[in-house]
């Protein structure tokens, strides 16, 4: 079964760092871009970043450029999203999703279950 | 950025009704739009890609149409399991952007 498995919920304090993960299985993960999508509590979806595992080419939304870093460990088919200094406004569910149909005109066909990140003092 | 204006923001309809959700792009995006369904507490699920292609395994009650700047998602006969929020998304140009969502409820 093709799936994306995300790491568990996190509770952090403002200023702390964090790295969440998304592991692909059941398909050739080097062939598809992987993206991250944010959903703040009770709000809509926001695309954050994309990464192509074959060469680690990474694209960021201007809204998130410099705020987060997307990376990859190809050996374990795992993508990461990390923050160096969290803010309360980073509280959200973060979804990873596979981009099918080619870049950039693709579509997110497989989604992880989401990682809830809560940032509170 | 390309802005996707989705309407209505919410609707209430009866079981068996035909439901139409629209999405207007701020510029021509050809057919590069997708639709997702998100049920409470779940991740989004792809319904329609490239404006009108039904994702494998998705009920044929869902259909999509449009090109350029105007797109529609139609649910032909609303069922209780269709209670969800629906989002359009453009993939014509980075940054990808989503519509604000349409919450569908049963009357």
């Amino acid at each position: 079964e093709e799936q994306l498995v995300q790491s568990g919920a996190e509770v952090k304090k403002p200023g702390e760092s964090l790295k969440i993960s998304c592991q692909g299985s059941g398909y050739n993960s080097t062939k598809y871009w992987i993206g991250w999508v944010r959903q703040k509590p009770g709000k809509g979806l926001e695309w954050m970043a994309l990464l192509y595992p074959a060469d680690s080419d990474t694209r960021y939304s201007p809204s998130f450029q410099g705020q987060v870093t997307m990376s990859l460990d190809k050996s374990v088919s795992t993508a990461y999203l990390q923050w160096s200094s969290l803010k309360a406004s980073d509280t959200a569910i973060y979804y990873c999703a596979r981009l099918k149909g080619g870049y950039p005109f693709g579509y997110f066909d497989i989604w992880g279950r989401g990682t809830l990140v809560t940032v509170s003092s | 950025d390309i802005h996707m204006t989705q309407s209505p923001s919410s609707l209430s309809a009866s079981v068996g009704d035909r439901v139409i959700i629209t999405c207007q792009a701020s510029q021509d995006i050809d057919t590069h739009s997708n639709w997702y369904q998100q049920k409470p507490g779940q991740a989004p699920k792809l319904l329609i890609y490239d404006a009108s292609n039904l994702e494998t395994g998705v009920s044929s009650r869902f259909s999509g149409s449009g090109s350029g700047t105007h797109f529609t998602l139609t649910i032909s006969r609303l069922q209780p399991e269709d209670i969800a929020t629906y989002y359009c998304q453009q993939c014509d140009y980075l940054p990808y952007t989503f519509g604000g969502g349409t919450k569908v409820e049963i009357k």
Side-chain angles (χ1 to χ4, degrees), chain A residues 97-119:
Chain A
R98 184 179 80 169
L99 189 75
K100 197 173 182 184
Y103 170 84
F105 309 131
Y107 43 92
F108 293 116
D109 70 326
I110 297 174
W111 293 68
R113 289 189 169 187
T115 295
L116 174 62
V117 174
T118 304
V119 184

Side-chain angles (χ1 to χ4, degrees), chain B residues 3-23:
Chain B
H3 191 68
M4 302 294 281
T5 303
Q6 203 173 324
S7 62
S9 56
S10 66
L11 67 88
S12 182
S14 299
V15 171
D17 281 356
R18 184 178 184 224
V19 169
I20 296 175
I21 299 168
T22 66
C23 202

Side-chain angles (χ1 to χ4, degrees), chain A residues 39 95 103-108 112, chain B residues 34 36 38 43 46 91 94 96:
Chain A
Q39 187 168 40
Y95 294 102
Y103 170 84
F105 309 131
Y107 43 92
F108 293 116
Chain B
N34 310 308
Y36 301 87
Q38 187 178 32
L46 176 69
C91 55
L94 293 189
Y96 293 151

Side-chain angles (χ1 to χ4, degrees), chain A residues 33-113:
Chain A
W33 291 75
I34 285 286
W36 288 97
V37 174
R38 183 175 80 175
Q39 187 168 40
K40 289 191 168 187
K43 301 298 183 184
L45 305 171
E46 302 171 89
W47 171 71
M48 302 175 70
L50 277 178
L51 184 149
Y52 188 54
D55 61 7
S56 291
D57 186 7
T58 309
R59 310 295 166 94
Y60 292 95
S61 165
S63 297
F64 294 95
Q65 179 85 48
Q67 309 304 307
V68 296
T69 302
M70 186 173 180
S71 60
L72 174 81
D73 184 338
K74 217 188 302 188
S75 68
V76 289
S77 303
T78 299
Y80 301 95
L81 187 67
Q82 66 181 86
W83 295 257
S84 58
S85 180
L86 286 160
K87 302 185 272 288
S89 58
D90 293 318
T91 295
I93 297 173
Y94 294 87
Y95 294 102
C96 63
R98 184 179 80 169
L99 189 75
K100 197 173 182 184
Y103 170 84
F105 309 131
Y107 43 92
F108 293 116
D109 70 326
I110 297 174
W111 293 68
R113 289 189 169 187

